[in-house]
Amino acid sequence: MDPSNSGRSSGTALYRTMVRIRAFENAAETASQGGVSAYGQQAAGAAKVRGPLHLSTGQEAVPAGVCAHLRTSDYLTSTHRGHGHTLAKGADLARMMCELFGKATGFNGGKGGSMHIADFSVGMLGANGVVAAGLPIAVGAAHAQKLLRKSDDITVCFFGDGAINRGPFLEALNWARVYALPVLFVCEDNRWSATTASGPMTAGDGASARAASMDIAATQVDGNDVFAVHETAARLVAEVRGGGGPRLLHALTYRVKGHVSVDLAAYRDPAELAAALETDPIARARGHLLDMGVAAATLDAIENAARDEVDSALAIAEAAPWPEPGAAFTDVQTTGAGQWT
Amino acid sequence: MGRPGGGLDLSYSEAAVLAIQREMQADPRVVVLGEDVGRGGIFGQYKGLQQAFGAERVIDTPISEAAIMGAGVGMALAGLRPVVEMRVVDFALCGMDELVNQAAKNRFMFGGQGRVPLVARMPGGIWDASAAQHSQSLEAWFAHLPGVVVVSPSTPQDNYGLLRAALQCGDPVVYIEHKTLWGLRGEVNEDIAVPLGKARRVREGNALTLVSWSRQMQACAAACDALAAEGMAVDLIDLRTLWPWDRETVLASCARTRRLLVVHEAVQVAGFGAEIAASAAEATGCRVARLGAPRIPVGYASVLEAQSRVGPEAIAAAARKLLG
Ligand SMILES: Cc1ncc(C[n+]2csc(CCOP(=O)(O)OP(=O)(O)O)c2C)c(N)n1
């Protein structure tokens, strides 16, 4: 990142995005404690955030670096681990917390929760509970963008390293290349798929190698270096926007927490985690920004502001109303809705 | 841990592990394949099996439901007896062609040359606060498919017995455990065989026949308590196997009580309750009613999720209406 004023301000903006994601997820994790586990056990106590909560702790640099290049009118599809993508795309943090609390004022009116976060108003077309399901949807959105030819808007599609072993990944890449669609595929390679390490389950060199085999230019990047992600994504987004067809960004990062918040990841070698923590993207970015001459006080202020924003979001979500029971019957369908008895 | 009745005290998931362990010991053709099975499965329903039988028989796979199901079909055709893990019924949809067009059709389409003795495990039902893609009850879809057996156990004993029977049956079996029954404990007696296609009479009574399965049995039992307190003795039947379903037991009861209520967690519209109700009305002329969830996706917030639940009060009310 260049050490000029503009470099510093774009660097602190990236820092702010990452810090907001981390603060949001830390608070969501705390609010989920005592709740229902996604692995079948039921813990006592009333959690504010219920159900499976997939945290992206340690992966914040990827959405921050990529989404910094996106406009509101660009589309985004996400995974089950979508808080970071959603915030980085510009969604309102408090409304997202309301959705995690299941409140009527959440993005989905309490119908979706963490795993199905969506904010269509900023082009975020939805997190998904089905691995790899977002890839063909992204391709369809990009196909529509191409057919409608209204602008040079693009679609960005986030997915995990586990998802590349499902057919929809391969089918979507093929489709995107055949129709030269404006889509940027972003593999967040955090090395784990639920409780199984992805490496031994994946033949060959992973996402970028598979993209290359379909003549889609792919670039690997250190996904824990937000400046590297930002710089690489700048080029790829420009190429896709310029009509160059699909590109793939393969970001190497690490899943610091368990698969879901209640998963303590006992199956993982503690040394692997300890090594990964050394490369925490937020700490690294902070060090880098200090070296560039950004004042520590500026970064502290960003962190404090994020904490305040999250505290206020928690209060808003706490005070927000529950959905009306009748809301369960709305938005099912128009033709034939309600004729179920 | 022993029990007074001579059985073991096991959870629903431990009972399943024991069933597979017994079948793997008895038959070297039995293998398991699926995501995270080496670590015991996400519900502990394969716990210890990879340590006991090795990674060649308890096979960790990529996230590839279509390939897991399709490979299961190929393994079965080539002489193995695979347990195919789909994690939850919602993800089994990613392997649907492999199940519907391949596993279910093979034996018939090839004139009986092929057999597909696989057991596809796909936990179903509402999983608390897991919203619309992790809470579905899709058993009626599978019951609609000629060529497959459909099983849905409600107790540890039945999970043990039915899983063993499923592995021995020689045809494709859709095996639907309930996502929230894994921790349920009960006595498992290894000497009790639970054949496919045989229902269990849970309570006896003459006021009305109540048929259900899987976790919904618990709500039905609670409703029966309430009705008993009002002087109504219900004939409660746990179907256990949806295909082939135990017509004999159900119809005999309906002929006696003249009233049938079928209750399921699945959406009522086009649910399996409609099949049983129609069959009973045709065969016995009894009064019928069915009760299932409204035709809505399961919501995330508790207040929305509750709209999809069929509780004891609703069941008792439907029973009273049928009796009134
Ligand atoms: C089709 C399908 N199969 C299995 C699952 C269960 N599941 C949810 S997340 C996950 C791991 C996904 O790994 P990856 O794609 O690498 O994403 P990560 O969780 O690492 O972010 C699995 C197996 C699912 N949601 N959908």
Side-chain angles (χ1 to χ4, degrees), chain A residues 77-78 128-138 163 166 168-169, chain B residues 94 133:
Chain A
T77 67
S78 174
N128 211 309
V130 181
V131 167
L135 283 128
I137 295 173
R166 279 205 61 221
F169 166 79
Chain B
C94 301
Q133 293 176 335

Side-chain angles (χ1 to χ4, degrees), chain B residues 109-197:
Chain B
M109 197 165 70
F110 296 123
Q113 301 176 83
R115 291 292 293 261
V116 185
L118 68 74
V119 176
R121 288 176 87 183
M122 43 180 90
I126 296 177
W127 194 8
D128 301 29
S130 298
Q133 293 176 335
H134 285 73
S135 288
Q136 298 174 85
S137 298
L138 301 175
E139 63 269 22
W141 288 27
F142 302 106
H144 193 69
L145 287 178
V148 291
V149 173
V150 183
V151 180
S152 201
S154 71
T155 66
Q157 176 74 59
D158 283 358
N159 206 14
Y160 173 78
L162 289 167
L163 195 44
R164 291 202 70 173
L167 271 158
Q168 290 167 16
C169 95
D171 283 319
V173 179
V174 169
Y175 199 88
I176 305 177
E177 287 143 299
H178 197 287
K179 290 168 194 137
T180 59
L181 284 181
W182 296 110
L184 178 75
R185 301 198 75 82
E187 181 169 344
V188 175
N189 192 324
E190 291 206 62
D191 298 332
I192 300 174
V194 187
L196 298 174

Side-chain angles (χ1 to χ4, degrees), chain A residues 54-55 59 79-81 115 128-133 159-164 166 188-195 198 255 259, chain B residues 35-36 42 63-65 86-88 90-91 94 134:
Chain A
H54 303 88
L55 299 169
Q59 304 179 200
T79 66
H80 51 286
R81 207 177 295 286
M115 209 166 26
N128 211 309
V130 181
V131 167
F159 56 96
D161 44 301
I164 72 169
R166 279 205 61 221
E188 288 179 309
D189 187 345
N190 64 15
R191 296 176 26 198
W192 285 87
S193 312
T195 73
S198 302
R255 189 193 78 195
H259 173 54
Chain B
E35 296 152 24
D36 298 314
I42 55 168
I63 307 172
S64 321
E65 286 73 13
M86 288 284 112
R87 209 176 184 100
V88 289
D90 317 67
F91 308 156
C94 301
H134 285 73

